[in-house]
Amino acid sequence: MSPGTGAALRLLAATVDAKAVAEIGTGTGVSGIHLLHGMRPDGVLTTVDPEPERQQFARQAFRAAGFASNRARFIPGRALDVLPRLADSGYDLVFCDGDRLECLDYLAESLRLLRPGGLVVFEGVFADGRTVDSGPQPAEVGRLRELLRAVRESPDLVPSLLPVGDGLLCAVKR
């Protein structure tokens, strides 16, 4: 994750005064640290990843960054198996950095999870410039194009595409 992307995540979490954030794709914890820095001091990050080893690494990174263990909830598993068990309208922000082939499903789950005025954010939507390249592309790029179209055309969302890192697609739920 680029420093600019991290700064944008921190700003977005602060903008919605996030107390509850869901993250799809824990990774090494870098994005989670940025989100936690932008969240309210009593906020909790719920992070979902199919790889428990990544979550253990992120847990250590959060602790090293000075966050108490009760600031993050780690749920191992596939996002599409875990997300349906999370509370409707219980989240201020949903950050999606998981399997790009599942991005449209993440959008549908995010709309259910977000409170009105909440924010959904997708990382990597430029796909290293491939989403705007007219040549043949892999299936994941086609899915990203579908995601961009769905967010742009949704009457339930107010979208913006931020040109930081590999692109952040952000949308506020009406």
Side-chain angles (χ1 to χ4, degrees), residues 10-164:
R10 191 169 52 252
L11 174 72
L12 293 168
T15 299
V16 296
D17 195 28
K19 183 174 182 179
V21 173
E23 176 185 44
I24 301 168
T26 307
T28 60
V30 174
S31 56
I33 289 171
H34 288 290
L35 288 164
L36 283 164
H37 276 298
M39 293 170 66
R40 293 169 39 166
D42 60 341
V44 176
L45 172 69
T46 299
T47 184
V48 179
D49 198 288
E51 303 292 332
E53 305 82 34
R54 288 187 200 162
Q55 291 190 320
Q56 187 57 39
F57 189 86
R59 187 183 317 265
Q60 293 168 356
F62 292 176
R63 191 177 12 228
F67 294 106
S69 61
N70 66 348
R71 294 287 315 276
R73 177 170 68 146
F74 295 88
I75 304 176
R78 282 187 63 247
L80 296 178
D81 295 333
V82 172
L83 296 175
R85 300 190 316 244
L86 301 180
D88 291 4
S89 303
Y91 292 85
D92 304 302
L93 189 150
V94 177
F95 176 61
C96 304
D97 189 17
D99 184 342
R100 289 179 177 166
L101 292 175
E102 296 177 344
C103 62
L104 288 168
D105 298 310
Y106 298 160
L107 176 62
E109 284 296 321
S110 296
L111 290 175
R112 182 187 61 75
L113 293 172
L114 286 170
R115 64 166 171 80
L119 185 63
V120 61
V121 180
F122 287 86
E123 201 278 328
V125 295
F126 292 158
D128 297 318
R130 294 177 297 167
T131 51
V132 294
D133 189 354
S134 61
Q137 297 296 335
E140 71 176 24
V141 173
R143 292 297 272 190
L144 286 171
R145 288 176 179 164
E146 291 174 43
L147 172 69
L148 290 163
R149 188 175 311 109
V151 169
R152 182 183 67 235
E153 294 174 358
S154 172
D156 300 323
L157 296 170
V158 179
S160 182
L161 187 57
L162 302 181
V164 295

